[in-house]
Amino acid sequence: MTDIHGAVRRFLLSLGEVLTAGATTHADAVAVDEFARLASVLRTGSSQAEAAMPGILPVCRFWDEALDRAADGPAVLAGHLRALGPSLRWTQNPNYRHRPPDPAFLENYGYAVIAGPAGDDKPEAARPLVAADALAVGVLLLGPGTYYPAHHHPASEIYCIVSGDAEWRRGDTPWRRQPPGAVVHHAPNLSHATRARAEPLLAVYLWRGDLATCATLLEKDLEEN
Ligand SMILES: [Fe+2]
């Protein structure tokens, strides 16, 4: 039987190192420090791993390829994710399921929560592997060429890119390519968008603050696409 809590702890230790190395601005470094403080509490806490009931989505067809491509980036982090892979419960934002931004989006998008609020009110698929109150950590997977339109949420967010040379945009600023290992910080309620290029995009996300409110797609971006 997989020691999920141990596997999550090893993943978080590795994530902390990759985040510290990837923070390039003072604001990013401050955000990384805050997330690291919350994650260290989780690593030493007594939260119990729940029995895993894994679930998959169509986008999971890109999981192995995304992990394999991480050889050029944070390969150690990908190794910990590979160990967690069979236990992950893939899910989708209910706002997007209700109104997909394009017909193919739900075939090419999904996320899995590794640590976060237990939330008995949540659907089974959206529950974390390990309970945490002040922080949510998980993985986002996008298929090649997928456009994830501008969206926003009240939580403060950091993405750590594991593999995939995608383009990222904050507000109305120009698109920027972010390589594996890069850290992307989104302040609360800042709209942001992502588009995967020829490869799948695999990124770890961290949320703090309002963990209960799902992201909402920007109406303007929906109308333009
Ligand atoms: Fe976000």
Side-chain angles (χ1 to χ4, degrees), residues 25-103:
T25 68
H26 177 69
D28 287 351
V30 169
V32 164
D33 282 350
E34 180 60 21
F35 277 104
R37 187 182 64 75
L38 295 170
S40 68
V41 173
L42 175 61
R43 287 202 296 269
T44 57
S46 59
S47 57
Q48 297 295 309
E50 298 173 17
M53 293 187 63
I56 61 169
L57 289 172
V59 72
C60 295
R61 67 193 186 280
F62 299 114
W63 174 250
D64 286 336
E65 179 186 347
L67 291 173
D68 290 346
R69 287 184 181 278
D72 293 333
V76 175
L77 190 56
H80 293 302
L81 287 173
R82 198 185 295 277
L84 284 169
S87 302
L88 293 177
R89 305 164 191 174
W90 290 89
T91 189
Q92 295 175 321
N93 182 326
N95 295 333
Y96 307 168
R97 290 190 66 84
H98 178 68
R99 188 182 174 193
D102 71 67

Side-chain angles (χ1 to χ4, degrees), residues 78-179:
H80 293 302
L81 287 173
R82 198 185 295 277
L84 284 169
S87 302
L88 293 177
R89 305 164 191 174
W90 290 89
T91 189
Q92 295 175 321
N93 182 326
N95 295 333
Y96 307 168
R97 290 190 66 84
H98 178 68
R99 188 182 174 193
D102 71 67
F105 185 76
L106 296 180
E107 302 291 307
N108 291 285
Y109 147 84
Y111 72 93
V113 189
I114 294 172
D120 291 339
D121 56 327
K122 291 180 180 170
E124 177 79 16
R127 291 184 194 161
L129 297 181
V130 170
D133 292 331
L135 182 73
V137 184
V139 282
L140 168 75
L141 184 57
L142 295 181
T146 301
Y147 176 52
Y148 186 169
H151 55 285
H152 56 89
H153 42 73
S156 174
E157 176 180 72
I158 283 182
Y159 273 108
C160 176
I161 294 133
V162 179
S163 80
D165 190 17
E167 295 177 306
W168 298 71
R169 186 184 198 194
R170 300 179 216 187
D172 293 326
T173 62
W175 289 94
R176 278 188 68 182
R177 284 169 75 163
Q178 300 281 7

